[in-house]
Amino acid sequence: MDISSAKNSPTTQVKLKPVEATPETFEDYGQIIESSKDGEEFGPRDAQLDLSKGVPRFYIMRLTERKLKFSTITHHASVTQCLGAIGGGVWFLGVARPSIVEVDASEHGRVKHHVVKSHCGHFYVLPEVNDVQVFKVEGPKFLKLHRGTWHAGPLFLDETMDFYNLELSNTNEVDHTVHDFKKENGVAFVIEK
């Protein structure tokens, strides 16, 4: 879709069928962390975290009326965020693969036009409409997002849900890059049940 013409055209709804979140289906975006036996040693089934760029913040986030549609998507370049529903209820997360680009300061003026500099200071490639996917999460598990994974949600059918959230203490102030598909691409996503 031509981005320049999308800015002046009506919004197109793109329907997405959710995929069950499993370690295999979610591996391009992060990890699915499920229960393990007490005393089990640290290994690849545990969240592989990067909290090295700040003070970790672990809290319970109450969300209200997050219906199954979205038009904006966010990424965090400095942290591997973790999200999980308290009580294991059913929820959904829209995602696109990480697109952070490492650019040397001397290359700044020569970066290609499709690479954007975030207001946070890092460079990234814009997410594509066709790259967006939705995952359904249920039961006693949480998602660990790779650094830079684009995400929209959590979204759910209940009126209110509580989620635990692990990120950095200032993630939402200094590491919050947003792409608006409605504004830039003329698209909004709707999750099919």
Side-chain angles (χ1 to χ4, degrees):
M1 175 178 284
D2 178 18
I3 292 175
S4 60
S5 64
K7 291 181 181 181
N8 298 321
S9 60
T11 303
T12 301
Q13 286 197 342
V14 174
K15 294 181 180 178
L16 297 174
K17 187 172 176 78
V19 174
E20 190 69 35
T22 68
E24 296 77 26
T25 61
F26 199 70
E27 68 184 346
D28 289 338
Y29 312 98
Q31 292 176 270
I32 303 296
I33 307 301
E34 299 178 278
S35 62
S36 57
K37 292 181 181 178
D38 185 34
E40 197 172 292
E41 291 188 15
F42 178 77
R45 290 178 8 121
D46 295 305
Q48 306 298 306
L49 303 173
D50 180 358
L51 302 169
S52 64
K53 295 185 179 168
V55 175
R57 179 183 183 203
F58 182 60
Y59 65 102
I60 296 174
M61 173 176 66
R62 175 159 288 172
L63 299 177
T64 303
E65 296 189 13
R66 297 291 181 101
K67 300 306 176 200
L68 305 185
K69 56 186 175 181
F70 62 96
S71 60
T72 60
I73 198 162
T74 300
H75 78 227
H76 309 302
S78 297
V79 68
T80 52
Q81 184 179 22
C82 294
L83 296 164
I86 305 287
V90 176
W91 56 287
F92 301 85
L93 190 73
V95 295
R97 287 182 179 88
S99 61
I100 295 171
V101 178
E102 300 301 329
V103 176
D104 184 296
S106 64
E107 297 178 59
H108 183 324
R110 296 190 305 266
V111 292
K112 297 182 180 179
H113 69 279
H114 64 280
V115 174
V116 177
K117 184 176 182 180
S118 169
H119 70 281
C120 303
H122 65 278
F123 292 88
Y124 65 95
V125 176
L126 296 171
E128 297 285 334
V129 171
N130 294 335
D131 292 338
V132 176
Q133 189 165 319
V134 170
F135 285 91
K136 178 182 179 183
V137 185
E138 61 184 316
K141 61 177 89 169
F142 70 88
L143 304 183
K144 187 234 57 180
L145 302 178
H146 291 318
R147 188 175 68 86
T149 293
W150 292 96
H151 56 285
L155 307 167
F156 45 86
L157 292 170
D158 295 339
E159 185 175 323
T160 301
M161 283 184 77
D162 290 337
F163 292 83
Y164 55 85
N165 188 352
L166 175 62
E167 54 190 11
L168 297 180
S169 62
N170 61 355
T171 293
N172 290 318
E173 290 82 35
V174 301
D175 187 22
H176 195 262
T177 301
V178 177
H179 179 74
D180 188 333
F181 282 106
K182 190 174 192 177
K183 179 180 173 188
E184 300 297 330
N185 306 88
V187 167
F189 299 96
V190 177
I191 301 170
E192 295 181 327
K193 294 183 271 179

